[in-house]
Amino acid sequence: METGLVDSLLREERVFRPQPQVVREANMGQAELKAAQTLARQDYRLFWEERAAEMDWFAKWDQVLDDSNPPFYKWFSGGKCNLVHNALDRHILTVNKNKLAVIWEGESGECRKYTYYELYREVCRLANALRGLGVQKGDRILIYLPPLPETVITMLAAAKIGAVQTLVFAGYSARSLRERIESCRPKIIVTADGFYRNGRVINLKSVVDEALFGEDADCAESVIVVHRAGVETDMVEPRDLRYEDLIRQESPQAPTEVMDAEDPLFLLYTSGATGKPKGLLHTHGGYMVGVHATYRWVMDVKPTDLYLCTADPGWITGHSYVVFGPLMAGTTVVLYEGHPLYPQADRLWAIVARYGVTILYTTPTLIRMLMRYGSQYPRKHDLSTLRLLGSVGEPIGPEPWVWFHKYIGRSECPLLDTWWQTETGMFMVSPLPISLLKPGSAGRPLPGVEVDVVDRHGNPAGHDKGGFVVIRKPWPAMARTLWNDDQGYRQAYWEKIPGVYFAGDVARKDEDGYFWFQGRADDVLNIGGHRIGPAEVEAALTAHKSVVEAAVIGVPDSIKGEAAKCFVVRAEGWNKDYDSEDELIMALKAHVKRELGPFVSIRAIAFREQLPHTKSGKILRRLLKAEETGAAPGDLSSLEEE
Ligand code: WT7
């Protein structure tokens, strides 16, 4: 066994067979799956080409996959398309025209509904307004919004006019926002006055003001402010514009930009092992094909479904499987603004019952939280409309799996644990509704993708041996590069193990080829399904005057899967500013939240005289982690040493 790779402590023996009706009605049935697997094995280009043919294109591609310059792969080169044509324009010519596209519920209880036609008209209005502000193909639009209908509208409007959108989760701080603004130089920022979260009004516009303070004028020419919570905001003339004023006079018709398949659609920043967030770039053609196909197979949507995904649009799950995938499939999406436990632990179940949700896609952290409140909360509501459940973001573990399946899914609904990443754009490893399910396993790779578990030389790890997760062949929804950093893209994903994509996860594969994901192989933390870079937290800590040096590691947490623990070397004289260690700890925790965003919570801070380092001066987080959790040190850090 490789040092540091856990074979597994876990041997889950339970299996759950799919209900006959589910098997009969699945979008991807046994016969289709066999055919798909056979074709994908013989000719995966042809396999993806057939998926592409299921979409609308303005002009057909010349080449399915251009692999002449690895790792910079191109899909459907020469093809002309626009994701928004598939997500919106084409629906208004069908029976979907008057079907609900979005049902939005605010935390304080209000509800707004949009048919596909209404959504189309709103998107056109905003598209025209954005064009009127001079936005052109390739310009960046930064969206700093909570889950609101306007968030969906802005995402679609930006894509419609060929702009590159980047969503920044509304829980990020001014500093994190500024860092992203400086990286992508948006022409326009769209935000809201405020929003409701956990019973409080969060002032969002002031964060944008702080982030833009002192910025030169060649970026963020306009800040568009959606009215949501009635927060008093300083409107800076002529930069700031009210969303409602801007669209009022605009025509509800607007042409959709014809894009090359490889033109950028969005940029999404995520944390890596280093201090700077990485801006992953996704493009129109391949992304739309990959997301559309996988959404239909895994979530098995039918025209009558009502779909709820608890992810925020600001994460990749929100992009692919709250907004783009469901709308391309003509699904009705429920979008909820607020905290899932507000005002009490049955809010989610009340929403499911109120609208008759049929498909529920959520995270292990939320499941564990709901589980802690017990089954009396779900029992108060009629959840009988549910027919399919999904999980994403972190390893779910058998017990939360079984609880969710039993108490929410009546032991009947398929519960599908989907493994994928910001980088993959689409589901990669996941069971299908027709699959035999093993609680805690994400099942097998989907047809057309080749995911494997290998040792550090790239040799297949044996059955049940822990190893690194790699992807052997390009896939259509893969990120194309890092924004302005081709070299960083190559290094982070394609050079750790030659010839394959390195995902940064560890897993084992059992004798049936089922994947059991164990966590990250690198130092990246996964707190409640959110990726947090240790170096970013460390940088925030060392920006505090009482801190000389800091190291951050993940330690197990019974709800969030992982929690952050910080080791801090204090500056001389810290005790002149703080009366006690506890006071300093409180100040440091608050400081990190202010620097990075309120969703970054620190569980513990320990003080040390010094921290362990490598010869080249890097902090040995692995060693601290080993001391803390008893896990074996080594693996990736030794990989990097070589
Ligand atoms: C990382 C990607 C993909 C949407 C949410 C997170 C972890 C994701 C699973 C799963 C075990 C999972 C991995 C992965 N992860 N899904 N089903 N089982 N781990 O997107 O922020 O890009 O993070 O989340 O560690 O690498 P992300």
Side-chain angles (χ1 to χ4, degrees):
M1 190 181 94
E2 295 294 322
T3 50
L5 295 175
V6 194
D7 268 358
S8 185
L9 311 166
L10 183 95
R11 284 284 180 274
E12 176 58 48
E13 303 287 347
R14 286 169 288 192
V15 294
F16 292 84
R17 276 167 215 291
Q19 302 285 312
Q21 193 190 349
V22 172
V23 175
R24 262 196 319 272
E25 294 173 359
N27 289 346
M28 174 75 89
Q30 283 304 354
E32 288 99 327
L33 178 60
K34 273 243 148 53
Q37 282 167 335
T38 307
L39 177 57
R41 224 169 295 148
Q42 285 164 351
D43 187 346
Y44 78 114
R45 295 169 198 241
L46 180 59
F47 173 77
W48 285 115
E49 182 163 37
E50 286 186 357
R51 308 288 76 75
E54 292 162 7
M55 317 295 295
D56 279 6
W57 294 76
F58 303 131
K60 208 184 154 180
W61 49 91
D62 307 317
Q63 198 181 4
V64 177
L65 171 64
D66 174 356
D67 57 0
S68 59
N69 181 28
F72 304 100
Y73 298 97
K74 292 181 179 164
W75 285 86
F76 310 112
S77 299
K80 305 279 183 197
C81 62
N82 190 312
L83 181 143
V84 172
H85 175 82
N86 284 284
L88 212 51
D89 303 357
R90 66 171 176 160
H91 294 311
I92 66 165
L93 306 172
T94 72
V95 289
N96 285 342
K97 180 179 175 190
N98 298 316
K99 178 179 176 175
L100 286 181
V102 176
I103 300 175
W104 174 80
E105 183 167 303
E107 192 183 77
S108 38
E110 57 275 72
C111 175
R112 277 155 66 188
K113 296 179 180 173
Y114 293 79
T115 64
Y116 271 90
Y117 193 53
E118 287 166 337
L119 188 64
Y120 170 83
R121 287 166 60 90
E122 291 303 312
V123 168
C124 287
R125 280 205 178 91
L126 182 61
N128 285 326
L130 292 170
R131 281 185 172 132
L133 291 172
V135 179
Q136 291 175 352
K137 202 185 217 175
D139 286 343
R140 271 81 59 213
I141 294 182
L142 187 144
I143 307 172
Y144 185 58
L145 284 171
L148 296 176
E150 288 80 2
T151 313
V152 178
I153 292 166
T154 309
M155 291 171 79
L156 295 169
K160 186 177 174 84
I161 64 172
V164 185
Q165 59 193 275
T166 183
L167 264 89
V168 177
F169 172 60
Y172 275 113
S173 67
R175 187 173 182 274
S176 304
L177 178 59
R178 185 187 178 99
E179 202 169 20
R180 286 154 178 78
I181 292 169
E182 281 170 351
S183 162
C184 75
R185 316 286 310 160
K187 184 161 190 148
I188 307 277
I189 297 178
V190 186
T191 188
D193 56 348
F195 67 104
Y196 294 87
R197 183 82 190 172
N198 223 351
R200 291 190 307 149
V201 174
I202 312 288
N203 187 336
L204 210 54
K205 170 62 166 47
S206 64
V207 185
V208 176
D209 290 337
E210 193 185 331
L212 286 177
F213 185 77
E215 268 294 314
D216 45 16
D218 75 319
C219 102
E221 286 166 24
S222 309
V223 175
I224 302 174
V225 185
V226 174
H227 173 91
R228 160 63 188 132
V231 181
E232 282 280 331
T233 54
D234 297 331
M235 297 295 279
V236 180
E237 300 270 348
R239 188 195 71 186
D240 296 353
L241 306 162
R242 293 199 182 275
Y243 179 97
E244 297 72 20
D245 297 341
L246 193 68
I247 61 166
R248 189 165 295 127
Q249 305 292 334
E250 296 292 348
S251 150
Q253 295 290 338
T256 296
E257 201 73 36
V258 174
M259 306 300 285
D260 287 331
E262 281 294 320
D263 278 338
L265 170 66
F266 67 85
L267 250 177
L268 187 57
Y269 289 88
T270 186
S271 295
T274 62
K276 276 242 169 290
K278 307 186 281 190
L280 287 147
L281 184 71
H282 283 277
T283 56
H284 273 263
Y287 177 80
M288 105 189 161
V289 170
V291 170
H292 180 255
T294 51
Y295 183 65
R296 288 193 63 260
W297 299 337
V298 174
M299 293 296 162
D300 198 36
V301 279
K302 307 291 194 296
T304 48
D305 273 313
L306 203 73
Y307 171 83
L308 168 61
C309 169
T310 59
D312 190 290
W315 308 113
I316 189 66
T317 310
H319 284 59
S320 300
Y321 301 115
V322 174
V323 179
F324 296 134
L327 296 180
M328 283 194 282
T331 311
T332 305
V333 177
V334 178
L335 185 66
Y336 171 57
E337 175 189 40
H339 194 283
L341 301 183
Y342 182 85
Q344 39 173 32
D346 67 343
R347 181 62 180 265
L348 195 60
W349 313 130
I351 293 174
V352 169
R354 181 150 43 244
Y355 306 107
V357 170
T358 60
I359 303 173
L360 174 62
Y361 186 33
T362 189
T363 63
T365 287
L366 185 54
I367 295 166
R368 288 189 292 257
M369 259 163 17
L370 293 164
M371 196 174 150
R372 196 174 58 175
Y373 286 96
S375 59
Q376 71 272 20
Y377 283 98
R379 235 184 271 131
K380 284 202 286 190
H381 298 273
D382 175 11
L383 305 182
S384 62
T385 51
L386 287 172
R387 68 170 194 87
L388 193 139
L389 305 173
S391 171
V392 64
E394 40 175 325
I396 176 169
E399 293 323 315
W401 193 103
V402 169
W403 184 86
F404 197 42
H405 187 249
K406 179 170 176 190
Y407 291 104
I408 310 305
R410 311 177 299 278
S411 304
E412 264 172 39
C413 303
L415 166 46
L416 310 176
D417 177 17
T418 60
W419 179 89
W420 58 297
Q421 310 177 294
T422 305
E423 291 84 348
T424 69
M426 65 184 208
F427 301 143
M428 298 300 279
V429 179
S430 173
L432 294 165
I434 59 170
S435 306
L436 185 95
L437 300 172
K438 305 187 184 188
S441 167
R444 286 185 282 230
L446 291 171
V449 300
E450 225 175 88
V451 188
D452 205 356
V453 178
V454 301
D455 67 20
R456 64 172 145 135
H457 307 292
N459 304 312
H463 283 157
D464 284 330
K465 287 262 181 265
F468 301 110
V469 178
V470 298
I471 306 173
R472 294 191 181 281
K473 281 181 187 158
W475 62 102
M478 66 198 301
R480 297 302 192 259
T481 190
L482 295 179
W483 185 249
N484 284 335
D485 189 11
D486 286 347
Q487 192 47 31
Y489 175 71
R490 201 197 291 270
Q491 271 167 4
Y493 304 107
W494 298 94
E495 283 180 351
K496 304 263 191 226
I497 297 177
V500 293
Y501 168 88
F502 183 84
D505 277 41
V506 281
R508 72 177 169 95
K509 235 170 35 168
D510 69 16
E511 65 281 8
D512 299 322
Y514 276 55
F515 280 66
W516 299 79
F517 288 94
Q518 297 166 340
R520 297 288 304 187
D522 49 22
D523 290 336
V524 172
L525 277 60
N526 185 337
I527 303 183
H530 299 318
R531 251 154 93 168
I532 300 194
E536 290 168 59
V537 184
E538 289 159 3
L541 283 166
T542 47
H544 192 279
K545 70 174 184 334
S546 299
V547 176
V548 173
E549 194 175 31
V552 175
I553 61 164
V555 293
D557 181 275
S558 62
I559 296 287
K560 300 208 160 180
E562 213 167 41
K565 169 142 192 187
C566 312
F567 298 88
V568 165
V569 180
R570 281 167 298 193
E572 198 119 5
W574 67 271
N575 45 1
K576 290 202 200 79
D577 297 313
Y578 298 95
D579 288 338
S580 66
E581 290 203 340
D582 284 348
E583 209 177 285
L584 176 60
I585 288 171
M586 284 207 328
L588 290 178
K589 286 182 177 175
H591 171 77
V592 169
K593 277 188 195 282
R594 202 163 46 243
E595 289 286 297
L596 299 177
F599 77 103
V600 182
S601 61
I602 301 291
R603 192 178 44 209
I605 295 180
F607 298 115
R608 289 282 167 98
E609 292 307 314
Q610 56 190 27
L611 297 174
H613 289 98
T614 63
K615 279 202 245 22
S616 58
K618 281 195 280 183
I619 297 173
L620 262 172
R621 299 188 191 105
R622 292 266 135 183
L623 208 64
L624 291 165
K625 186 152 177 161
E627 282 174 23
E628 192 69 24
T629 64
D635 67 19
L636 196 74
S637 45
S638 54
L639 195 80
E640 269 171 351
E641 287 305 68
E642 281 170 355

